[in-house]
Amino acid sequence: MIPTVILAAVVGFSALSSCDSADITTRSATTTADLSQVREFNEETVRGRGDTPDIIEPEPTTAVSEMESTYNYILSRLAAMDQAIHRLNVGHYTLDIKVTQLLERVSRLDNRLGDTEDAIQQVSSYCKDNRKEIGRLEGCQKGRKIGYKCVLAYRVYETYADASQKCQERGGRMAMPRDRKEQEALAEYVKSVFHGNWPVWLGINDQRSEGLYLFEDTTRVTYFQWRKHFLSSQPDGGKRENCVSMSSDDGDWWDTYCERRMYYLCEFDV
């Protein structure tokens, strides 16, 4: 009887143990499932509140950084260009003011220069007039009076053109004997000044037309005192010799090269 009871107790204990183990296993599974549900609930709750951000793998940002860098570089360059343009505008404005001031000064200087030039021209005109007056007085004081004019000989070698210019600068003109009386008086004066045979320029030439002899004042020559000799009758130069000179020893006329340099005679109105 007793063994039977013991066997029943053992069997009951084993069953009890199996039931307890199954219950523990069931509880463990239930507990694990409950914990998983709680964890998921907690994570969803946290994500819903926004307290803790989701952990997401970051995407590559290299391309974005290069674009931002390029954009910032362009902005900095544009800012530098804007500053440079501003400085250029300021400099241009300053330069424009200085140029305007310079133009005003140049204008004032030009006006003063114009006044100075006018004064110089007046002085030059006065000098020319004075020189002419001095030349006329000198011609009549040092030279010889012949009729209504005075004649003065100059011992300076000049071409025909230069001699004509010198006479005009002195207020006179090259000597022009218009008739026999003037020719004889002029020949006598030249002979007394130049001892020997010296050619002296007269104010006569045929440069405009061959054979048409004119005085310096463009009037036509009507009286001639050409040298007449069987060896050298004048004029004999043709188109090569177009200016007239007087021989100081006898007063005869010779045609000669206008570029030749010789003494000359000037006449002045009394």
Side-chain angles (χ1 to χ4, degrees):
M1 185 69 176
I2 293 172
T4 304
V5 173
I6 293 170
L7 178 61
V10 170
V11 171
F13 180 79
S14 299
L16 181 60
S17 298
S18 299
C19 288
D20 292 337
S21 298
D23 184 53
I24 291 170
T25 302
T26 302
R27 289 179 179 178
S28 297
T30 302
T31 302
T32 302
D34 292 338
L35 290 174
S36 298
Q37 291 177 358
V38 170
R39 185 179 295 111
E40 292 176 0
F41 174 78
N42 291 335
E43 290 176 356
E44 290 176 0
T45 302
V46 170
R47 287 198 298 269
R49 288 202 309 266
D51 295 336
T52 304
D54 296 339
I55 300 175
I56 302 174
E57 290 295 332
E59 296 180 359
T61 60
T62 304
V64 176
S65 299
E66 290 181 355
M67 182 179 295
E68 291 180 353
S69 177
T70 303
Y71 178 74
N72 293 332
Y73 173 76
I74 292 174
L75 288 180
S76 64
R77 295 301 297 171
L78 289 175
M81 290 176 62
D82 183 68
Q83 294 178 358
I85 291 173
H86 176 69
R87 290 194 298 269
L88 183 62
N89 288 332
V90 173
H92 182 269
Y93 176 75
T94 304
L95 180 62
D96 185 66
I97 293 176
K98 291 183 178 180
V99 169
T100 302
Q101 294 174 350
L102 180 61
L103 290 175
E104 291 177 354
R105 293 178 181 177
V106 170
S107 178
R108 292 195 297 268
L109 181 61
D110 185 65
N111 293 333
R112 293 179 181 178
L113 182 60
D115 296 339
T116 303
E117 289 179 349
D118 292 340
I120 291 175
Q121 290 179 357
Q122 291 179 357
V123 172
S124 178
S125 178
Y126 292 151
C127 289
K128 290 181 179 179
D129 294 340
N130 291 336
R131 187 174 182 182
K132 289 180 180 180
E133 184 63 22
I134 292 172
R136 188 183 68 80
L137 294 174
E138 183 184 43
C140 291
Q141 290 179 358
K142 294 183 179 180
R144 178 173 296 183
K145 184 178 179 181
I146 301 176
Y148 58 90
K149 54 189 177 183
C150 300
V151 180
L152 180 62
Y154 291 90
R155 292 177 173 272
V156 181
Y157 292 111
E158 300 287 356
T159 64
Y160 183 91
D162 291 339
S164 176
Q165 181 178 356
K166 296 294 183 181
C167 289
Q168 292 178 15
E169 291 176 355
R170 293 184 175 96
R173 52 192 175 273
M174 296 180 73
M176 300 180 292
R178 298 180 181 273
D179 52 35
R180 178 180 293 274
K181 184 178 180 179
E182 287 187 8
Q183 166 62 28
E184 291 177 352
L186 186 60
E188 182 183 356
Y189 167 68
V190 171
K191 188 175 182 179
S192 65
V193 174
F194 301 101
H195 302 287
N197 185 12
W198 295 95
V200 183
W201 284 124
L202 297 176
I204 302 172
N205 67 83
D206 65 342
Q207 297 182 89
R208 290 189 177 183
S209 178
E210 177 62 26
L212 177 62
Y213 288 92
L214 303 175
F215 288 115
E216 278 289 290
D217 61 0
T218 68
T219 58
R220 188 168 183 174
V221 180
T222 58
Y223 172 81
F224 298 92
Q225 187 65 35
W226 295 115
R227 177 178 175 81
K228 299 299 181 180
H229 193 273
F230 68 96
L231 293 178
S232 58
S233 294
Q234 297 297 314
D236 62 354
K239 294 183 179 180
R240 298 170 303 170
E241 300 177 349
N242 298 311
C243 295
V244 178
S245 65
M246 173 189 287
S247 178
S248 61
D249 60 346
D250 55 16
D252 288 343
W253 296 2
W254 297 66
D255 65 340
T256 186
Y257 298 102
C258 297
E259 292 76 19
R260 183 177 176 182
R261 301 172 66 87
M262 61 181 68
Y263 300 145
Y264 61 98
L265 296 168
C266 293
E267 66 178 28
F268 306 89
D269 294 332
V270 177

